[in-house]
């Protein structure tokens, strides 16, 4: 705990909640809100992807917060670990205003066991029919529903929910979906034959945070001049989690010194890199290791270490870029997107199997 003489650290080591020190992703947030708010909307789905710690949950939370404040919007959070369709129905009906609407629309939901019964109405026999009727009555009442799903998984709950969503959206019902997931999960899900709309759904791939904005933030909160603030910001490579972790330890140590960097590195490794590494295949690790050994990121040299020709190497390059581990913007080169990741890889390659 902080004593009364020391102010609370402005940076956070926590995942999944809105941080106090926040670097806005204005263009990506505006894209989501602008598109969903348009009348008629030209998209009803957005999928946010990015590596662990890139800020998916934070962006989702920021967008959900925006819509909660908009008149006529209802935001419902669903988890792919539960029966999503059941949960959607029960969350909609547990809202007193909405359940009044459904009653007056004479939707008999008694089979849900949610205590809504109407005499004389034949009960709807499937949840899908019930939800269709509910959304029709929401539409009549100018209400819109944003459903958020953080960490979509390719499981039965998710597939059933996605196919229901597809049916509702096709009928021009006011339902919107904002979903996050790791590249692998989204890739698997969108390749399900029945879920082609996800394949076409626009993806927001989280790019690095602005280094200059981060530097200005560091300068404001930390005992650093502009040059050191910029140096610290550059060290994070724009990785969201690293922005908090470096800020946190430099604040704690009251200096941008070796101790602070070591503590930050250790924290990043234990709380992000271990997980990222454990999710890589053996072959991806081999390629990652070769990249870590390379001094300049030149693909030609990396390939010769791996004894791969360009045809063999390209699929690995593509996949590691999609996962958000490397950046391939410079032709002929690849670079890690995560700060000090090469150190982690060099130290850990070969230990886990
Ligand atoms: N725009 C931002 N500005 C400042 N810090 C951010 C921003 N986005 C995320 N962070 C910080 O980065 C860390 C990770 O963010 P978040 O939990 O959103 O990542 P994630 O992509 O959901 O990761 P995971 O895949 O593991 O769930 C958190 O500490 C959060 O405070
Ligand atoms: Mg998350």
């Amino acid at each position: 705990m902080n004593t009364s003489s020391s102010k609370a650290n402005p940076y956070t080591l926590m995942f999944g909640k809105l941080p106090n020190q926040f670097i806005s992703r204005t263009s990506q947030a505006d894209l989501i809100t602008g598109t969903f708010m348009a009348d008629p909307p030209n998209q009803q789905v957005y999928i946010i992807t990015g590596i662990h710690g890139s800020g998916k949950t934070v962006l989702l939370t920021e967008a959900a917060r925006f819509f909660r404040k908009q008149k006529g919007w209802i935001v419902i959070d669903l988890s792919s670990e539960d029966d999503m369709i059941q949960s959607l129905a029960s969350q909609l009906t547990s809202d007193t205003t909405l359940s009044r609407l459904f009653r007056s629309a004479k939707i008999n939901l008694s089979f849900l066991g949610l205590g809504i019964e109407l005499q004389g109405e034949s009960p709807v026999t499937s949840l899908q029919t019930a939800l269709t009727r509910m959304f029709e009555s929401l539409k009549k009442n100018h209400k819109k529903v944003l459903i958020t799903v953080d960490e979509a998984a390719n499981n039965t709950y998710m597939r059933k929910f996605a196919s229901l969503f597809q049916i509702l959206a096709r009928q021009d019902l006011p339902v919107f979906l904002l979903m996050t997931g790791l590249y692998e999960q989204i890739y698997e899900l969108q390749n399900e034959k029945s879920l082609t709309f996800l394949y076409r759904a626009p993806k927001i791939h989280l790019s690095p945070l602005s280094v200059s904005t981060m530097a200005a933030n560091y300068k404001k909160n930390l005992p650093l001049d502009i040059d050191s603030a910029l140096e610290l910001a550059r060290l994070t490579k724009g990785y969201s989690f690293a922005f908090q972790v470096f800020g946190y330890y430099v604040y704690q140590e009251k200096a941008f010194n070796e101790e602070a960097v070591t503590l930050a590195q250790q924290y990043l490794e234990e709380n992000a890199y271990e997980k990222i590494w454990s999710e890589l295949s053996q072959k991806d690790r081999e390629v990652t290791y070769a990249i870590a050994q390379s001094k300049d990121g030149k693909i030609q040299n990396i390939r010769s270490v791996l004894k791969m020709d360009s045809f063999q190497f390209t699929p690995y390059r593509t996949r590691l870029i999609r996962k958000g581990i490397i950046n391939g913007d410079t032709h002929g080169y690849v670079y890690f997107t995560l700060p000090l990741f090469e150190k982690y890889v060099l130290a850990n390659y070969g230990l886990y199997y």
Side-chain angles (χ1 to χ4, degrees), residues 93-94 99 102-103 107-111 113-118:
T93 46
S94 66
S99 79
F102 301 144
R103 271 172 211 271
I107 301 171
N108 186 333
L109 300 164
S110 54
F111 73 100
L114 298 168
I116 300 178
E117 276 185 65
L118 289 166

Side-chain angles (χ1 to χ4, degrees), residues 276-282 284-285 288 320 323 325 341:
I276 291 167
W277 184 247
S278 75
E279 287 168 358
L280 289 181
S281 70
Q282 165 63 17
D284 281 343
R285 286 184 195 170
T288 306
L320 291 172
K323 283 179 186 245
I325 292 178
F341 191 61

Side-chain angles (χ1 to χ4, degrees), residues 56-57 150-151:
K56 300 181 293 296
T57 302
D150 197 11
E151 299 184 25

Side-chain angles (χ1 to χ4, degrees), residues 6-269:
S6 69
K7 281 211 333 233
N9 197 317
Y11 298 96
T12 177
L13 300 177
M14 302 271 289
F15 264 59
K17 54 174 237 178
L18 283 183
N20 285 334
Q21 300 305 316
F22 179 69
I23 308 293
S24 176
R25 293 183 181 274
T26 319
S27 61
Q28 289 168 318
D30 288 355
L31 184 64
I32 301 169
T33 53
T35 308
F36 286 177
M37 298 285 285
D39 193 17
N42 39 22
Q43 288 293 346
Q44 286 174 261
V45 193
Y46 265 107
I47 300 178
I48 303 169
T49 71
I51 200 161
H52 285 299
S54 57
K56 300 181 293 296
T57 302
V58 165
L59 182 59
L60 180 95
T61 312
E62 187 192 359
R65 182 180 277 193
F66 171 89
F67 282 104
R68 281 201 170 89
K69 285 191 216 142
Q70 304 304 309
K71 195 165 170 280
W73 281 83
I74 298 133
V75 179
I76 290 191
D77 302 319
L78 297 180
S79 155
S80 60
E81 297 304 307
D82 299 326
D83 185 333
M84 300 169 78
I85 297 183
Q86 179 78 42
S87 171
L88 174 62
S90 62
Q91 289 193 52
L92 283 173
T93 46
S94 66
D95 182 306
T96 35
T97 323
L98 299 187
S99 79
R100 209 174 301 135
L101 282 184
F102 301 144
R103 271 172 211 271
S104 58
K106 298 200 175 5
I107 301 171
N108 186 333
L109 300 164
S110 54
F111 73 100
L112 283 174
L114 298 168
I116 300 178
E117 276 185 65
L118 289 166
Q119 290 234 313
E121 282 296 309
S122 54
V124 267
T125 46
S126 82
L127 263 179
Q128 182 179 319
T129 320
L131 281 160
T132 307
R133 291 208 201 151
M134 284 152 93
F135 277 99
E136 282 164 354
S137 100
L138 290 171
K139 187 176 183 175
K140 269 195 210 116
N141 290 279
H142 309 289
K143 300 226 177 287
K144 295 176 181 181
V145 178
L146 170 66
I147 298 169
T148 75
V149 182
D150 197 11
E151 299 184 25
N154 181 19
N155 62 19
T156 318
Y157 290 146
M158 190 64 228
R159 289 192 296 271
K160 283 195 174 151
F161 165 76
S163 73
L164 170 76
F165 177 86
Q166 187 172 15
I167 291 166
L168 297 174
R170 257 196 221 134
Q171 298 174 37
D172 278 333
L173 293 170
V175 60
F176 297 80
L177 174 62
L178 186 58
M179 194 159 92
T180 79
L182 296 172
Y183 161 72
E184 304 86 294
Q185 307 292 342
I186 299 299
Y187 182 82
E188 276 183 28
L189 196 61
Q190 72 177 13
N191 284 313
E192 290 285 332
K193 269 199 214 67
S194 57
L195 302 178
T196 43
F197 82 105
L198 288 179
Y199 196 85
R200 290 188 304 267
K203 318 277 181 317
I204 293 184
H205 191 80
L206 289 185
S207 47
L209 296 173
S210 148
V211 167
S212 55
T213 313
M214 286 170 45
N217 181 287
Y218 281 156
K219 168 120 188 346
K220 194 177 75 194
N221 292 305
L222 301 171
L224 301 179
D225 61 24
I226 187 61
D227 291 340
S228 328
L230 191 58
E231 196 190 329
L232 184 61
R234 292 172 71 102
L235 188 59
T236 71
K237 295 192 172 181
Y239 177 46
S240 299
F241 185 40
F243 166 66
Q244 300 292 339
V245 173
F246 279 107
Y248 185 92
Y249 284 109
V250 170
Y251 184 90
Q252 181 186 286
E253 297 302 308
K254 300 187 178 64
F256 175 17
N257 56 18
E258 207 181 313
E259 180 67 12
V261 173
T262 307
L263 287 167
Q265 181 183 348
Q266 201 175 335
Y267 199 87
L268 287 171
E269 292 189 350

